[in-house]
Amino acid sequence: MKKALLTASAFLFATVAYAASSQTTEPKAPVAVKVKADPLAGLTMDQQMELCERLETLKTQSKPLTPKMQQQLKACQAMSMDAPSDTAPDATQDR
């Protein structure tokens, strides 16, 4: 009885150890692909505004933009679209 219990315990621990090792060997690359880095990360607000202004100027001048510059420009446009507007709602302006 003691040997059977010892054998069953050893089998249980071996199964758990094998399952744990197979879970840690999975590649983590698909997770990293889903996460996109902020193209404006590491810049102060003033630097971001200057960069956005320069990119807008290059775009209006029809200058070619690198892929990184295009990502930064999209981030700038998204940032400006999310900014709250300073205008009051229509119901407030009617009063």
Side-chain angles (χ1 to χ4, degrees), residues 12-80:
L12 176 67
F13 289 124
T15 305
V16 170
Y18 177 75
S21 68
S22 67
Q23 290 176 354
T24 58
T25 58
E26 293 179 10
K28 301 292 181 181
V31 174
V33 172
K34 293 178 184 177
V35 177
K36 291 185 178 182
D38 182 18
L40 301 177
L43 299 176
T44 65
M45 185 58 75
D46 291 334
Q47 291 172 334
Q48 289 179 5
M49 292 178 70
E50 289 176 18
L51 176 63
C52 292
E53 191 174 311
R54 184 171 58 95
L55 291 172
E56 286 290 336
T57 303
L58 290 173
K59 182 182 174 188
T60 56
Q61 294 174 351
S62 299
K63 301 280 182 171
L65 300 176
T66 64
K68 183 177 180 179
M69 293 170 109
Q70 291 173 356
Q71 288 177 341
Q72 290 170 336
L73 181 62
K74 286 180 184 178
C76 290
Q77 291 169 343
M79 184 173 56
S80 65

